């Protein structure tokens, strides 16, 4: 359900950005471009506001109510924007206000999706399934958006509203099927987020490059071709993330993601200004697909960090998305400024935009070398590093027992501490969760292992270890 709902969300976003379903048939390119800029501003503004303490306190207290109210209002705003584009009203101020409000609603929906993915990731034995599901949702979004390539404008507009509404319904349904993530107070969450925050420069450069690519896609191609190129890029990105997650068994090292994506989009940026015809189209598709691949992997890293470090999810995703989403708006606006404010032809603005993005990429690689963020790099080592310390054998036996009985990642953490003889109070302090939550996980562990006490749990681990030692002799 989450995969389908997230796919519906991305299909609606793609249709709004490149499908032209909310543009008047006679709309000038400058007006259509500026409308989308306000959409991106609203989309990025949500993450900036969610990062502020006052808004975050409100979101923590009324998260589900606020998300559903604003998201449902966004469906009406999308339809209203389409009606405005059809000529019902002509006020540019009202039209742009609706585009801005639609971006705000989409941004809130994205942050709320992050909360759901965190809960889903916590209930799976590893993050491979979550990474594959995110990739599948991106590819599914491309498939769902294909309908709007051939449908009449009215049907496409209705499809956008239906897809977005369906994503909200499926999100609400999926949220009821998983436990609510443990609430973390704002101060504790802020402290952990400062400790575990990713370096913002790399996603900032990637987001700005993606904004440049989206803008060039809109300005160089007609509406139908631009939409088709965007959908093709989404499909390629989804396949690439699936391949990466399948090969590495989950979320790989972030330095590996950068090594795989940066040479491709750096080369595409350098080659794009000197290409024509089908080669230019192919390079645009490759550039957007590679950047979507990077941003999807960035999302998977945010999901993994959110669960493993037990932070307040709305605040965490707002922080993690400020740089890439905000810089998408900056990249889009920079290209628009060159073309519409400075009066440069698109073919003259393209080399400036592409070479500037390529320069920022090289500068980023010089300032932020691969594997510089130890917290993100530790994701890939989270399991293996634990098995090679002084208590490696004991921890390995705990992992074997946990895998045999299908314990969730959070249950595995509690199980490992119970096997060491820790009590509820100590476990609560070490994992930053309430005593009630510890007792709930302990009860589930006992039920899965068919035991009734902590001593039986320790005996079970001991017997498992002895059995393996005997087998090795």
């Amino acid at each position: 359900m989450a995969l389908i709902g997230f796919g519906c969300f991305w299909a609606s976003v793609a249709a709004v950005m490149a499908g032209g379903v909310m543009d008047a048939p006679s709309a000038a390119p400058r007006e259509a471009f500026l409308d989308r800029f306000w959409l991106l501003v609203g989309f990025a503004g949500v993450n900036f506001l969610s990062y502020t303490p006052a808004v975050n306190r409100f979101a923590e207290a009324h998260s589900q109510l606020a998300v559903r109210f604003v998201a449902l209002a966004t469906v009406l705003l999308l339809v209203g924007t389409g009606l405005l584009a059809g000529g019902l009203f002509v006020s540019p101020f009202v039209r742009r206000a609706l585009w801005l409000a639609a971006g705000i609603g989409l941004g809130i929906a994205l942050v709320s999706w992050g909360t759901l993915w965190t809960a889903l990731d916590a209930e799976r034995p590893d993050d491979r399934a979550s990474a594959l599901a995110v990739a599948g949702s991106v590819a599914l979004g491309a498939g769902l958006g294909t309908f709007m390539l051939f449908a009449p404008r009215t049907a496409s507009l209705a499809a956008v509203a239906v897809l977005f509404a369906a994503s909200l319904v499926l999100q609400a349904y999926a949220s009821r099927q998983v436990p609510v993530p443990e609430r973390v107070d704002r101060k504790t969450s802020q402290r952990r987020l400062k400790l575990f925050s990713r370096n913002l420069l790399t996603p900032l450069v990637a987001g700005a490059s993606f904004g440049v690519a989206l803008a060039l896609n809109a300005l160089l191609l007609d509406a139908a071709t631009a939409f088709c190129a965007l959908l093709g890029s989404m499909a390629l990105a989804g396949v690439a993330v699936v391949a990466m997650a399948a090969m590495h068994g989950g979320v790989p090292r972030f330095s590996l993601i950068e090594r795989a994506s940066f040479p491709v989009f750096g080369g595409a940026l350098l080659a794009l200004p000197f290409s024509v015809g089908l080669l230019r189209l192919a390079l645009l598709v490759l550039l957007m697909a590679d950047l979507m691949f990077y941003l999807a992997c960035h999302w998977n890293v945010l999901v993994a960090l959110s669960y493993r470090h037990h932070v307040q999810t709305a605040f965490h995703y707002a922080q993690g998305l400020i740089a890439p989403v905000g810089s998408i708006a900056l990249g889009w606006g920079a290209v628009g400024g060159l073309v519409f404010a400075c009066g440069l032809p698109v073919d003259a603005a393209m080399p400036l935009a592409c070479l500037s993005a390529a320069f920022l990429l090289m500068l980023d690689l010089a300032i932020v070398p691969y594997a510089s963020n130890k917290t993100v790099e530790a994701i890939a080592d989270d399991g293996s590093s634990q098995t090679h310390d002084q208590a490696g054998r004991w921890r390995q036996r705990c992992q074997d027992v946990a895998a045999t009985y299908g314990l969730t990642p959070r249950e595995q953490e509690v199980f490992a501490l119970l096997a060491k003889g820790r009590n509820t109070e100590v476990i609560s302090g070490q994992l930053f969760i309430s005593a009630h939550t510890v007792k709930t996980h302990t009860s589930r562990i006992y039920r899965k292992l068919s035991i009734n006490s902590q001593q039986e749990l320790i005996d079970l681990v001991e017997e498992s270890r002895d059995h393996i030692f005997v087998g090795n002799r």
Side-chain angles (χ1 to χ4, degrees):
M1 288 298 178
L3 187 154
I4 296 173
F6 210 34
C8 291
F9 173 80
W10 288 120
S12 62
V13 172
V16 169
M17 279 299 299
V21 296
M22 296 191 299
D23 296 327
S26 59
R30 182 179 183 279
E31 295 301 318
F33 194 93
L34 190 57
D35 287 340
R36 283 160 178 76
F37 175 72
W38 285 110
L39 178 83
L40 292 172
V41 168
F43 203 89
V46 166
N47 296 288
F48 179 78
L49 291 175
S50 298
Y51 187 64
T52 59
V55 175
N56 194 254
R57 280 195 295 268
F58 176 81
E60 182 182 9
H62 309 285
S63 57
Q64 293 302 317
L65 178 63
V67 165
R68 286 167 187 164
F69 174 79
V70 175
L72 285 173
T74 304
V75 177
L76 301 178
L77 289 169
L78 292 172
V79 176
T81 306
L83 294 175
L84 292 176
L88 184 62
F89 300 103
V90 293
S91 170
F93 176 80
V94 174
R95 188 182 71 251
R96 287 167 190 167
L98 285 174
W99 277 88
L100 178 66
I104 292 172
L106 291 172
I108 290 177
L110 180 60
V111 173
S112 66
W113 270 108
T115 301
L116 175 59
W117 281 112
T118 297
L120 291 172
D121 199 48
E123 291 301 304
R124 288 166 173 159
D126 56 51
D127 49 28
R128 180 172 178 268
S130 178
L132 292 174
V134 169
S137 68
V138 175
L140 177 63
L144 293 172
T146 304
F147 163 78
M148 285 168 274
L149 283 172
F150 309 101
R153 181 182 176 282
T154 305
S156 297
L157 181 61
V160 170
V162 169
L163 285 171
F164 190 73
S167 74
L168 299 178
V169 172
L170 292 171
Q171 183 197 57
Y173 176 80
S175 298
R176 293 179 178 272
Q177 308 305 310
V178 295
V180 177
E182 175 71 15
R183 284 191 178 274
V184 181
D185 66 272
R186 184 176 57 85
K187 290 185 179 180
T188 301
S189 186
Q190 281 182 307
R191 174 171 54 81
R192 295 177 196 166
L193 286 169
K194 287 179 181 178
L195 180 63
F196 297 120
S197 64
R198 276 204 22 78
N199 187 294
L200 297 181
L201 184 58
T202 302
L204 185 74
V205 171
S209 301
F210 188 47
V212 168
L214 286 175
L216 293 175
N217 183 61
L219 294 172
L220 291 170
L221 308 174
D222 61 87
T225 307
F227 189 35
C228 185
L230 183 60
L231 294 178
S233 302
M234 290 175 63
L236 287 175
V239 171
V241 177
V242 167
M244 178 71 80
M247 286 189 298
H248 293 86
V251 179
R253 292 174 179 268
F254 210 79
S255 58
L256 179 61
I257 296 169
E258 293 172 346
R259 287 189 178 98
S261 59
F262 282 9
V264 175
F265 86 72
L269 282 171
L270 293 174
L272 186 60
F274 310 102
S275 60
V276 293
L278 290 178
L279 178 59
R280 175 176 289 182
L281 176 61
L283 286 173
L284 267 175
V285 171
L286 178 63
L287 177 59
M288 291 189 294
D290 190 64
L291 290 166
M292 286 184 205
F293 164 78
Y294 173 86
L295 294 173
C297 291
H298 179 75
W299 175 269
N300 283 331
V301 169
L302 291 178
V303 172
L305 288 174
S306 176
Y307 165 68
R308 296 187 183 187
H309 297 301
H310 317 304
V311 295
Q312 191 180 87
T313 52
F315 193 65
H316 168 69
Y317 284 98
Q319 182 197 39
L321 294 172
I322 282 175
V325 175
S327 58
I328 290 173
L330 290 176
W332 180 278
V335 174
L338 290 173
V339 174
F340 299 113
C342 299
L344 293 177
V346 178
D347 287 336
M350 180 168 55
L352 287 174
C354 290
L355 294 178
S356 297
F359 172 76
L360 288 176
L361 172 63
M362 291 186 288
L363 184 64
D364 170 55
L365 295 178
I367 297 174
V368 187
Y370 292 132
S372 62
N373 191 298
K374 300 303 181 184
T375 301
V376 177
E377 287 299 292
I379 290 179
D381 299 328
D382 197 45
S384 61
S385 63
Q386 292 180 359
T387 60
H388 292 86
D389 58 9
Q390 294 179 350
R393 288 188 175 183
W394 178 261
R395 295 191 181 188
Q396 184 61 56
R397 300 306 168 261
C398 290
Q399 292 175 4
D400 291 341
V401 173
T404 300
Y405 289 92
L407 301 185
T408 67
R410 181 62 59 83
E411 290 170 351
Q412 291 180 31
E413 294 174 342
V414 176
F415 174 80
L417 293 173
L418 288 171
K420 291 181 179 180
R422 306 295 189 266
N423 59 26
T424 298
E425 183 179 355
V426 172
I427 296 174
S428 174
Q430 290 193 15
L431 298 183
F432 301 101
I433 57 179
S434 67
H436 175 74
T437 301
V438 174
K439 293 177 181 178
T440 300
H441 285 305
T442 302
S443 176
R444 291 176 180 173
I445 292 169
Y446 286 179
R447 185 169 64 252
K448 288 183 178 181
L449 272 58
S450 299
I451 58 177
N452 298 304
S453 67
Q454 187 173 4
Q455 184 58 51
E456 289 183 72
L457 183 147
I458 296 172
D459 291 343
L460 184 64
V461 176
E462 288 281 358
E463 291 170 4
S464 173
R465 183 184 63 177
D466 293 341
H467 173 71
I468 294 174
F469 286 169
V470 170
N472 288 338
R473 291 173 187 158

